[in-house]
Amino acid sequence: MSNTEESPAGVEVARWRGGVVFSPGLMAFTGGIGDTAAHAHAAVQVLFVARGALTLTDAAGRTTLAHAAIIPPGVGHQVSAEPGTSGFVAFLDPDSVTAQAALARLAGLPGDHAMSWVAAARPRPPSPHAPARRKRTHPVVPEALRAATAWPGGPPALGELAGRVGISGSRLSHVFTEHVGLPYAAWRRWTRLHQAFAVVRAGGSLTGAAHAAGFADSAHLTRTCRDLIGITPTEALIATGWRPAPAGRGEVG
């Protein structure tokens, strides 16, 4: 299957087509890379272009050609790929050791600048210095992460979670942001989206997935998906082959 499609005007645009892997702390995609609308995910994104060309645009409108990039969480950006572009995209939970190592490569660079994301991914010689120790995590944060991830119906509101782990909501908000690297609300949206995709992958409908992951309805899920990864849930499902492309979409190749 080609990862290109013709628009009504007859212009080819790049579409996502490939496979996705879910594991704790990771969502990874490999295959044809397509375009996205402007979005800001709550994960650390690492991408590698194996074939074709890809352009990143940051929230200020700065653009750069990218063969590899490390994009931190919470920064607005969009992706433009020429038809036929393929590669690998990984979304890492920001609290993971791998994500923290990736973010360390952005040290000293403006994190919201597209050029920084490309510079951070360039190969470097091994450092002669021992790596800095990772900051010790507040003991309540791992407990809160475990409780929120296992919470029926998706991660709860901050106040509910704070009550479960025996800490005030304001204190939990502070230590969560400090040690995870993004606010609890942003992490919660990302985790809910991850959980919704898992439900669909197991055979559930988008409506069922939305309710299982704590969204109000499928429209709420769609808005969140577009905000976080730049495409709709339906586009994501077609990209991974979990749902067939509608007839008449003009697939080429």
Side-chain angles (χ1 to χ4, degrees):
M1 179 182 293
S2 170
N3 75 312
T4 62
E5 181 175 304
E6 289 190 16
S7 71
V11 178
E12 278 191 354
V13 294
R15 297 294 180 191
W16 297 83
R17 294 291 186 274
V20 67
V21 173
F22 286 97
S23 64
L26 170 69
M27 181 170 71
F29 173 90
T30 183
I33 297 175
D35 299 343
T36 71
H39 63 285
H41 41 68
V44 177
Q45 181 177 350
V46 178
L47 68 86
F48 169 75
V49 177
R51 181 180 63 185
L54 181 150
T55 299
L56 294 174
T57 303
D58 61 31
R62 295 170 294 232
T63 63
T64 185
L65 187 67
H67 296 291
I70 297 172
I71 305 174
V75 296
H77 63 285
Q78 64 187 73
V79 175
S80 299
E82 69 175 21
T85 298
S86 62
F88 170 81
V89 181
F91 297 93
L92 309 171
D93 279 5
D95 191 46
S96 70
V97 172
T98 305
Q100 291 295 316
L103 288 176
R105 296 176 67 93
L106 281 157
L109 299 172
D112 60 350
H113 200 304
M115 291 292 291
S116 298
W117 311 334
V118 173
R122 290 191 184 114
R124 301 178 187 174
S127 172
H129 306 291
R133 281 190 170 185
R134 191 180 181 198
K135 186 176 181 180
R136 187 171 183 178
T137 302
H138 190 289
V140 79
V141 173
E143 182 183 356
L145 287 168
R146 286 192 297 270
T149 301
W151 202 281
L158 179 67
E160 291 182 87
L161 182 59
R164 168 69 65 85
V165 299
I167 191 174
S168 71
S170 59
R171 180 60 178 159
L172 178 58
S173 176
H174 175 76
V175 298
F176 193 97
T177 302
E178 179 183 5
H179 293 278
V180 176
L182 73 162
Y184 174 72
W187 177 89
R188 181 190 188 200
R189 293 179 79 210
W190 175 252
T191 302
R192 282 180 162 181
L193 181 62
H194 196 148
Q195 292 177 343
F197 278 135
V199 171
V200 173
R201 188 182 188 186
S205 66
L206 283 177
T207 298
H211 292 154
F215 294 100
D217 51 31
S218 60
H220 184 196
L221 169 59
T222 295
R223 290 193 302 272
T224 301
C225 186
R226 191 171 178 84
D227 287 346
L228 293 181
I229 63 174
I231 58 177
T232 67
T234 297
E235 289 171 327
L237 297 178
I238 292 171
T240 57
W242 297 351
R243 174 173 291 186
R249 284 192 65 169
E251 287 287 324
V252 297

